[in-house]
Amino acid sequence: MYRNRNLEALWKKHFRVTRDTFDYICQLIEGDLQKEGTRLRKAVPVYKRVAVVLWRLGSGNSYRTTGITFGLGKSTVIKICNEFTRAIIRRKDDYFNRKQNYSINLQGTVDGTGMFIDVSTGWPGSMHDARVLRLSSLYSKATDGEILSQPEKSSEGIAVRPLLLGDSAYPLLSWLIGHYPRSATLT
């Protein structure tokens, strides 16, 4: 879906995450934050609850000021923030990595000069690097031929395109090669 870049930048400035990440968070904890309305008042929707928490955390504003910004009372903002925190903590196992630490995955891709050309971050630390790659925009762009297709050089009649070098966690693909283990004997 196409989104205006200026609106995306404004969104990220205020909520400290992209709109896609915001939507992901809403989906992740929807079951914990969704409430039923009553005859006296409508329930605060999940997307607004997440927005309130991210705004408060991103701005450092008080509960009262955040409440005024979103048309909610101070006590409602406190309750929403506490419920959000409990919902996130229930999902912390995903972020507990194989080295017994809480972490997120960061996949960075640099060109030959060391300049970052792609970054994918925010995936749980327990997620395997190869899965992070498959879920990244880099993977879909490379697989669809949008990147790494030019320049093409010929070596002994064989077309050679740009390649990415990855570590042993990554699969061998037409555009990605992993390193050889130290124990491998190379000719």
Side-chain angles (χ1 to χ4, degrees):
M1 176 190 217
Y2 173 77
R3 291 196 177 113
N4 182 306
R5 287 182 191 245
N6 291 335
L7 289 177
E8 281 292 312
L10 190 61
W11 181 274
K12 191 164 184 178
K13 178 181 176 185
H14 290 299
F15 294 105
R16 308 299 173 129
V17 296
T18 65
R19 181 61 195 253
D20 289 338
T21 300
F22 178 86
D23 292 341
Y24 171 76
I25 293 169
C26 289
Q27 281 184 319
L28 181 69
I29 60 177
E30 181 176 24
D32 295 297
L33 295 187
Q34 185 129 25
K35 304 293 181 189
E36 293 285 326
T38 66
R39 285 187 282 169
L40 300 176
R41 71 181 116 180
K42 291 182 180 179
V44 178
V46 171
Y47 72 88
K48 188 170 183 178
R49 291 171 174 270
V50 172
V52 164
V53 174
L54 294 181
W55 186 278
R56 165 131 168 64
L57 293 172
S59 68
N61 286 346
S62 66
Y63 293 114
R64 184 179 313 282
T65 303
T66 302
I68 291 168
T69 303
F70 287 89
L72 300 170
K74 175 183 171 184
S75 61
T76 302
V77 173
I78 292 170
K79 185 175 181 182
I80 288 171
C81 289
N82 289 338
E83 289 172 352
F84 179 91
T85 303
R86 283 191 295 274
I88 291 296
I89 288 171
R90 278 194 285 279
R91 281 149 185 86
K92 274 198 172 180
D93 285 348
D94 291 344
Y95 292 86
F96 200 62
N97 66 28
R98 61 185 171 80
K99 295 182 180 178
Q100 309 302 305
N101 294 309
Y102 288 104
S103 65
I104 61 170
N105 259 309
L106 167 69
Q107 174 186 281
T109 308
V110 296
D111 65 12
T113 65
M115 176 88 73
F116 278 95
I117 58 172
D118 186 80
V119 174
S120 179
T121 188
W123 298 104
S126 65
M127 189 179 288
H128 193 277
D129 293 345
R131 184 164 183 227
V132 172
L133 173 67
R134 282 192 313 275
L135 294 171
S136 71
S137 63
L138 174 75
Y139 184 87
S140 57
K141 288 177 187 174
T143 302
D144 294 343
E146 294 177 37
I147 60 171
L148 302 173
S149 58
Q150 296 296 327
E152 188 175 287
K153 305 265 181 173
S154 180
S155 174
E156 299 179 18
I158 298 172
V160 180
R161 295 182 175 154
L163 293 168
L164 293 180
L165 301 175
D167 68 17
S168 59
Y170 292 102
L172 177 62
L173 301 168
S174 62
W175 49 269
L176 173 67
I177 58 175
H179 83 293
Y180 288 97
R182 292 186 191 274
S183 61
T185 305
L186 302 176
T187 61

